[in-house]
Amino acid sequence: MALRFAVQADTEQECAAGLELLHTLGLVTRMEPRLLTDNRWMARAVPCTTKAPAEDGRGPSVR
């Protein structure tokens, strides 16, 4: 399952501020603030994952 978190804002500054809030939750940027075609700003972040196996030995774990 892929988790993605998005920030939508009216200005680039608001979008960057929202992205910083996601960073405080331990998420990492996957898309910097970008102006979309409908004149709104969007940025995306995802959980930071490691290559270590999960506790039960299946798949990657989330820090």
Side-chain angles (χ1 to χ4, degrees):
M1 172 175 64
L3 294 175
R4 286 166 270 179
F5 298 86
V7 175
Q8 293 182 358
D10 292 330
T11 67
E12 184 178 11
Q13 293 78 18
E14 288 176 344
C15 192
L19 187 58
E20 284 302 315
L21 289 174
L22 293 178
H23 290 163
T24 63
L25 298 173
L27 302 173
V28 293
T29 302
R30 282 296 172 248
M31 184 177 90
E32 294 290 334
R34 181 177 297 168
L35 184 61
L36 303 178
T37 57
D38 57 354
N39 205 31
R40 63 189 166 108
W41 287 85
M42 178 181 273
R44 289 191 180 120
V46 298
C48 181
T49 59
T50 66
K51 294 185 180 195
E55 288 183 18
D56 62 2
R58 300 180 308 162
S61 63
V62 177
R63 286 194 254 181

